[in-house]
Amino acid sequence: KQEVTQIPAALSVPEGENLVLNCSFTDSAIYNLQWFRQDPGKGLTSLLLIQSSQREQTSGRLNASLDKSSGRSTLYIAASQPGDSATYLCAGGAGSYQLTFGKGTKLSVIP
Amino acid sequence: NAGVTQTPKFQVLKTGQSMTLQCAQDMNHEYMSWYRQDPGMGLRLIHYSVGAGITDQGEVPNGYNVSRSTTEDFPLRLLSAAPSQTSVYFCASRPSLAADTQYFGPGTRLTVL
């Protein structure tokens, strides 16, 4: 059974800092790896999706990488802004239908 | 497009009551699913559907029923609510099994007393 772990559970950084969020998974036969953002009281918004054949994906100030051999993914946020404050979730897709979610990292960007 | 919509946003039930959480999408997506989100547990899959008339169980299906009579709607039924079902429920959809990006609804916050 796929297990997804996110460390740290919470992170506080000053505005403008570059930061990395970590995600690890146990099943290297991962189909894809997705990063989501969740604002308080809201649903999830997909940020980046990396297929198993890819190494990384970029969108604006966000860059996500995938290393299947080590069972790790990272989400890099450049020049963080207070508007980036949210909970970031990673989810591993194994097989056809199911996503296994990590518990998330709550990010606070301090002005 | 309204995307994925869920009703109600909030609900309080007494133990033993039944209710239906509604989910609808207007994107003609084949695949729909229900998750629950609990503090310290992450999101867990309850039930999913790969098309109208086809449903299957996820990780935590007990106490919940689903049906998929149309492509647009995927209601989740609680037959006899229990305090352990207090949670935030999210509905999600995606175009097909080959399309990986999932679109989530805003959630329903359910409290069972």
Side-chain angles (χ1 to χ4, degrees):
Chain A
K1 177 186 173 185
Q2 178 76 274
E3 294 182 6
V4 178
T5 303
Q6 292 186 248
I7 296 174
L11 179 65
S12 183
V13 300
E15 181 178 2
E17 190 164 298
N18 302 327
L19 62 101
V20 174
L21 304 181
N22 296 298
C23 173
S24 62
F25 48 91
T26 56
D27 186 353
S28 61
I30 198 165
Y31 181 69
N32 59 53
L33 193 290
Q34 301 185 47
W35 284 92
F36 295 86
R37 170 183 173 139
Q38 185 176 27
D39 293 289
K42 304 291 185 181
L44 280 69
T45 301
S46 179
L47 296 174
L48 290 165
L49 181 151
I50 311 174
Q51 300 286 2
S52 61
S53 58
Q54 299 173 321
R55 299 283 292 191
E56 64 179 308
Q57 283 285 333
T58 298
S59 176
R61 294 182 294 107
L62 306 180
N63 176 276
S65 68
L66 175 64
D67 185 343
K68 291 176 59 179
S69 62
S70 66
R72 294 181 60 186
S73 176
T74 60
L75 179 66
Y76 174 83
I77 302 177
S80 58
Q81 303 171 357
D84 294 330
S85 297
T87 296
Y88 291 82
L89 300 159
C90 71
S96 55
Y97 312 132
Q98 299 196 24
L99 285 178
T100 300
F101 282 84
K103 297 178 181 179
T105 294
K106 184 176 181 180
L107 173 65
S108 298
V109 181
I110 312 301
Chain B
N1 287 348
V4 180
T5 58
Q6 292 184 238
T7 57
K9 291 186 178 181
F10 301 94
Q11 183 70 49
V12 179
L13 293 178
K14 294 181 179 179
T15 296
Q17 288 184 316
S18 62
M19 79 159 296
T20 299
L21 307 185
Q22 302 290 345
C23 174
Q25 51 89 12
D26 61 358
M27 299 173 282
N28 201 33
H29 287 177
E30 293 181 12
Y31 178 78
M32 298 184 73
S33 54
W34 277 101
Y35 293 86
R36 60 178 288 173
Q37 184 176 36
D38 302 293
M41 297 292 292
L43 277 82
R44 293 179 291 170
L45 182 66
I46 305 172
H47 284 286
Y48 63 93
S49 169
V50 300
I54 306 170
T55 63
D56 206 345
Q57 297 180 350
E59 180 183 356
V60 287
N62 292 341
Y64 308 95
N65 276 359
V66 292
S67 60
R68 185 94 179 271
S69 57
T70 66
T71 299
E72 294 77 20
D73 301 299
F74 190 43
L76 178 72
R77 298 183 186 86
L78 282 69
L79 304 177
S80 179
S84 61
Q85 294 179 304
T86 293
S87 186
V88 181
Y89 292 85
F90 289 101
C91 180
S93 74
R94 70 186 194 213
S96 67
L97 296 179
D100 304 295
T101 299
Q102 290 209 68
Y103 299 83
F104 281 79
T108 294
R109 185 174 297 273
L110 175 68
T111 301
V112 183
L113 302 175

